[in-house]
Amino acid sequence: MDFSSKLLENAVNEVSQLPGIGKRTALRLVLHLLKQPESQTLRLSQSLQKMREEINFCKNCHNISDTTLCEICANPNRDESLVCVVEDIRDVMAIENTSQYRGQYHVLGGKISPMDGVGPMDLNIPTLVEKAKSGKVSEIIFALSSTMEGDTTNFYIFKQIEGTQVTTTTIARGISVGDELEYADEITLGRSILHRIPFETSLKSS
Amino acid sequence: MDFSSKLLENAVNEVSQLPGIGKRTALRLVLHLLKQPESQTLRLSQSLQKMREEINFCKNCHNISDTTLCEICANPNRDESLVCVVEDIRDVMAIENTSQYRGQYHVLGGKISPMDGVGPMDLNIPTLVEKAKSGKVSEIIFALSSTMEGDTTNFYIFKQIEGTQVTTTTIARGISVGDELEYADEITLGRSILHRIPFETSLKSS
């Protein structure tokens, strides 16, 4: 792409560094900003910069937070003996939306993925192991996605906390509510049969 | 969406103001920036701000430019008696890519669209009329998209410069090169038959 202005070219190049945004989309976004009042661009750039510079992570669960301890960890009604291990803050938001969970979280910040150069030390695993050994935690729930990387991460953590009194569980895999059996993949369907639950239990949770 | 941090929420809200970007995509982009070095966010926000504050428009054709006169208008090899009227800078880039045009441009900055509150005075029409009346221009080519708004804009300009010596033309509409006739819409196909050209001419341009 040939740009008539260096300023425009720089802006488009920077915007197109974002995931899923190519040069054409970047140009469209940048030209949109040019048509809007200058204050909008100012607000956008300042909010991004301020966020990047001042963002804080909860010292207990590593969730993004404006305070030292996030709202969930600071809430005395949340059960601190129950810890749900998730990959990132979006998973926390998703689980919070269900209103089914009253424990705390532990945000790993990713999954172990040697292909991408992410090892256990790049993630918030040491603090989780520490938590498990402190004696305050009775159950750790693995809620990572069930991919090769997710399973590896689960297993690594499981090995690290072996020997402690902590029970480890993993979220149920099965047919989504509302889905038809015939379209389900065999692994999911197989697991949902293996890990069947008493019918009375299912009545209570609906 | 419930955010655990006000800083994060502000950033997501600002990013989701961009066209075609919803809250979920905005969150994904913002979390991506958090995983990247702080310098990337700084570069992004500064390039946007610098562009918005310092951007310049060519005083002749209103194209985006870092200099008073854009590269095209400043080029003595470009025919200044030929002016192609386009909606925005992306159209200039598209036509420049064809390497078929050696005249100058006039960027309107939009189309007349009463529904969106865009009148003739919101666009760079007065300077175009002035140009037409200066006697330096022999042909004005309308290259706006052929929508209701584009046609209205063409017609408005046509009426404004009526009586001058300027010839007005419009880019050819027809079947795209490589397209099959049976899938073309009737209006396009009809126009391409009405405005047929001598076969020898088509041989020269391919």
Side-chain angles (χ1 to χ4, degrees):
Chain A
M1 258 194 222
D2 272 352
F3 291 96
S4 55
S5 151
K6 203 76 198 154
L7 287 170
L8 181 71
E9 186 170 359
N10 282 345
V12 169
N13 282 342
E14 287 301 330
V15 174
S16 66
Q17 302 268 312
L18 294 170
I21 296 192
K23 288 259 166 139
R24 263 166 193 272
T25 311
L27 179 60
R28 192 166 54 85
L29 297 179
V30 166
L31 289 178
H32 169 85
L33 284 177
L34 278 178
K35 283 196 183 171
Q36 302 300 310
E38 207 168 305
S39 60
Q40 186 179 337
T41 309
L42 199 71
R43 277 203 315 275
L44 171 65
S45 61
Q46 283 181 345
S47 66
L48 285 177
Q49 215 168 312
K50 200 170 149 71
M51 177 209 65
R52 189 64 188 83
E53 282 165 1
E54 298 177 16
I55 202 92
N56 218 11
F57 295 89
C58 170
K59 75 173 168 52
N60 186 43
C61 72
H62 308 286
N63 193 0
I64 292 172
S65 163
D66 292 338
T67 44
T68 332
L69 220 55
C70 76
E71 268 181 41
I72 296 172
C73 291
N75 185 344
N77 294 324
R78 309 284 301 223
D79 183 355
E80 63 169 332
S81 71
L82 196 59
V83 174
C84 181
V85 178
V86 292
E87 193 186 329
D88 75 11
I89 170 192
R90 277 178 292 180
D91 303 323
V92 174
M93 290 166 75
I95 297 177
E96 282 299 289
N97 271 342
T98 67
S99 311
Q100 295 287 342
Y101 182 63
R102 299 305 300 166
Q104 293 187 348
Y105 294 93
H106 191 94
V107 181
L108 292 181
K111 289 173 290 193
I112 296 175
S113 172
M115 295 280 280
D116 303 317
V118 182
M121 287 309 127
D122 301 314
L123 305 174
N124 299 316
I125 293 180
T127 47
L128 177 62
V129 175
E130 212 174 277
K131 229 184 253 181
K133 289 183 177 160
S134 71
K136 284 182 193 156
V137 176
S138 62
E139 182 179 347
I140 285 180
I141 307 169
F142 292 126
L144 302 183
S145 43
S146 59
T147 56
M148 179 81 90
E149 288 84 10
D151 291 344
T152 307
T153 313
N154 288 343
F155 192 69
Y156 179 86
I157 297 171
F158 176 74
K159 277 290 175 195
Q160 290 286 309
I161 61 179
E162 226 177 5
T164 62
Q165 294 297 310
V166 178
T167 320
T168 46
T169 55
T170 171
I171 55 168
R173 308 287 175 185
I175 312 293
S176 293
V177 177
D179 259 17
E180 304 209 31
L181 284 205
E182 55 176 327
Y183 299 119
D185 66 288
E186 306 91 84
I187 300 177
T188 306
L189 187 54
R191 285 210 199 176
S192 75
I193 291 174
L194 269 177
H195 306 302
R196 60 195 177 278
I197 55 161
F199 184 60
E200 292 92 335
T201 315
S202 78
L203 288 178
K204 277 178 221 149
S205 60
S206 64
Chain B
M1 260 194 221
D2 272 352
F3 291 95
S4 55
S5 149
K6 203 77 196 153
L7 288 169
L8 181 72
E9 185 170 359
N10 283 344
V12 169
N13 282 343
E14 287 301 329
V15 173
S16 65
Q17 301 268 311
L18 293 170
I21 296 191
K23 289 260 166 138
R24 263 167 194 272
T25 310
L27 179 60
R28 192 166 53 84
L29 297 179
V30 165
L31 290 178
H32 170 84
L33 284 177
L34 278 178
K35 281 195 184 171
Q36 302 300 311
E38 207 168 306
S39 59
Q40 186 179 338
T41 309
L42 200 70
R43 279 204 312 277
L44 170 66
S45 60
Q46 283 181 345
S47 66
L48 286 177
Q49 215 168 314
K50 200 170 149 69
M51 178 209 64
R52 190 63 188 84
E53 281 166 3
E54 299 177 16
I55 203 92
N56 218 11
F57 294 91
C58 170
K59 75 174 169 51
N60 186 42
C61 72
H62 309 287
N63 193 2
I64 292 171
S65 164
D66 292 338
T67 43
T68 331
L69 219 55
C70 76
E71 268 180 42
I72 297 172
C73 291
N75 185 343
N77 294 325
R78 308 285 300 223
D79 184 355
E80 63 169 333
S81 71
L82 197 58
V83 174
C84 182
V85 178
V86 293
E87 193 186 330
D88 75 13
I89 169 191
R90 276 178 292 180
D91 304 323
V92 174
M93 290 166 75
I95 297 177
E96 283 299 288
N97 271 342
T98 68
S99 311
Q100 295 288 342
Y101 181 63
R102 298 304 301 166
Q104 293 187 348
Y105 294 92
H106 191 94
V107 181
L108 292 182
K111 290 171 290 192
I112 296 175
S113 172
M115 295 280 280
D116 303 317
V118 182
M121 289 308 127
D122 302 313
L123 305 174
N124 299 317
I125 293 180
T127 48
L128 177 63
V129 175
E130 214 173 275
K131 228 184 255 182
K133 288 182 177 161
S134 70
K136 285 183 194 156
V137 176
S138 63
E139 182 179 347
I140 285 180
I141 306 169
F142 292 126
L144 301 183
S145 44
S146 59
T147 56
M148 179 82 89
E149 289 84 10
D151 291 344
T152 308
T153 313
N154 288 342
F155 192 69
Y156 179 86
I157 297 171
F158 176 74
K159 278 290 176 195
Q160 291 284 310
I161 62 179
E162 226 177 6
T164 63
Q165 294 296 310
V166 178
T167 320
T168 46
T169 55
T170 171
I171 55 168
R173 307 288 174 184
I175 311 293
S176 293
V177 177
D179 258 17
E180 305 209 31
L181 284 205
E182 56 176 325
Y183 300 119
D185 64 291
E186 306 92 83
I187 300 177
T188 305
L189 187 54
R191 283 210 200 177
S192 75
I193 291 175
L194 269 178
H195 305 303
R196 61 195 177 278
I197 55 162
F199 184 61
E200 292 92 335
T201 314
S202 76
L203 288 177
K204 278 178 217 149
S205 61
S206 64

